[in-house]
Amino acid sequence: MSTRMSVDDLLKTTNFNRGEIETLTRHFTELASLMDKIDRSRFRDLLADTFGVDDSLLMDRVFRCFDTDADNYISYDEFMKGMSVFLKGRREERMKFCFRVYDLNGDRYISKEEMFQMLKNCLVKGAEEDEDGVKDLVDLVLKKLDEDRDGRVSEADWNGALDKESLLMEAFGQCMPTSKVCQVFINPEENEAPKSRTPGIHSAHRLELPAKPISHTGIHPPSKHVHPHAPQGNRRVVVAPAAGAPIVSSKAPPKKTAAA
């Protein structure tokens, strides 16, 4: 088993607090093999099933960003440092991470060819007849990102363009999770669905029944499921009295006839 960073060291070098480190350690233990490392297949499953990153090309690039020693496995330290950016990264860290993901060949530039490959992957799904549309989109995005107009995007170009338009951060496909998913992964106990409470007397005896269908040729009968916000004219509500409650007639009592 490889030597792991201590909790104190992780507190200094990651964006996690002590409780989050414990949770992430449990996640790592569940994912790691007998080698105490996460292999590529399990990590890809985690990206797709938990974080919604399902583009094969980008999944491989995210894996490589985590696997800093390029041994085709993710160690505990690599997992914790990578997740620190992936889940709780500061804006500058996330900008750098996305740039590394999109720099497919690792030459510190995002070329037009790399843009085309990523956009074709996530938009066209291999339809050759739409390649011209992808090329047009590449030209459009390049104009937004290539600040020094040299036909490719450096990290300086990338940072400058994102300072003006932050929505471009995942311009070439999703490579990071949403904040809601991150919170559930880091703090699963706090995000569990609350247990349903026992309804009160009134709600327990309330029924909502659809109104009688109007007989019209060619008109579908109303659904048996009544939407809670449907207009009152389309439904009627029957409220049953609680057990033991007296039944009060809605009809007015008969008038008494004066004695002759």
Side-chain angles (χ1 to χ4, degrees):
M1 184 178 292
S2 59
T3 304
R4 296 181 176 185
M5 293 179 69
S6 67
V7 173
D8 289 338
D9 287 338
L10 289 172
L11 288 171
K12 296 174 184 175
T13 58
T14 69
N15 299 318
F16 298 129
N17 59 39
R18 192 173 295 273
E20 291 167 345
I21 290 172
E22 292 175 359
T23 300
L24 268 293
T25 299
R26 289 197 299 271
H27 284 309
F28 177 83
T29 302
E30 293 170 359
L31 292 165
S33 61
L34 295 176
M35 299 173 60
D36 199 36
K37 292 184 177 183
I38 302 173
D39 62 29
R40 184 186 298 267
S41 175
R42 286 208 169 189
F43 189 75
R44 285 170 65 96
D45 289 343
L46 175 68
L47 291 178
D49 298 339
T50 302
F51 298 118
V53 180
D54 57 3
D55 183 280
S56 182
L57 177 62
L58 297 184
M59 289 165 74
D60 182 67
R61 290 299 304 156
V62 172
F63 178 86
R64 290 179 180 274
C65 289
F66 273 71
D67 179 23
T68 54
D69 64 2
D71 68 345
N72 285 319
Y73 291 94
I74 296 174
S75 67
Y76 176 78
D77 292 356
E78 289 173 334
F79 181 77
M80 298 302 285
K81 290 178 180 178
M83 283 295 174
S84 175
V85 176
F86 194 66
L87 301 176
K88 292 191 68 177
R90 295 181 293 274
R91 183 172 182 275
E92 295 75 16
E93 291 176 316
R94 290 185 286 115
M95 287 166 57
K96 184 174 183 178
F97 180 87
C98 290
F99 181 84
R100 289 179 60 202
V101 169
Y102 299 147
D103 176 17
L104 300 182
N105 61 6
D107 66 351
R108 298 188 178 182
Y109 291 94
I110 303 174
S111 66
K112 287 185 67 173
E113 291 74 18
E114 289 170 329
M115 293 180 198
F116 179 82
Q117 187 175 352
M118 288 182 286
L119 289 175
K120 182 181 176 183
N121 245 25
C122 67
L123 296 178
V124 180
K125 304 298 182 186
E128 292 182 6
E129 62 271 17
D130 290 333
E131 287 191 2
D132 289 340
V134 177
K135 290 176 182 178
D136 292 340
L137 183 58
V138 167
D139 291 337
L140 181 65
V141 175
L142 186 62
K143 288 179 182 178
K144 289 277 188 182
L145 297 175
D146 181 19
E147 296 209 328
D148 61 8
R149 299 293 182 262
D150 65 349
R152 57 184 183 176
V153 178
S154 65
E155 191 163 0
D157 291 334
W158 177 256
N159 294 338
L162 264 60
D163 284 339
K164 299 174 184 175
E165 181 51 79
S166 59
L167 292 176
L168 291 169
M169 189 176 294
E170 291 185 272
F172 303 112
Q174 182 190 355
C175 60
M176 301 197 79
T178 64
S179 57
K180 182 177 180 180
V181 171
C182 292
Q183 286 302 315
V184 172
F185 191 74
I186 297 174
N187 301 302
E189 295 84 4
E190 295 180 10
N191 290 277
E192 287 180 352
K195 294 181 180 179
S196 59
R197 294 177 295 179
T198 304
I201 293 175
H202 296 291
S203 61
H205 292 285
R206 182 178 295 274
L207 294 174
E208 291 189 355
L209 303 177
K212 279 188 175 183
I214 302 172
S215 178
H216 284 266
T217 305
I219 303 297
H220 295 289
S223 170
K224 64 180 179 179
H225 302 292
V226 180
H227 193 279
H229 301 297
Q232 293 295 325
N234 293 337
R235 65 179 183 180
R236 57 192 176 93
V237 178
V238 179
V239 181
I247 299 175
V248 181
S249 173
S250 61
K251 295 182 178 180
K255 293 183 179 179
K256 292 183 179 180
T257 306

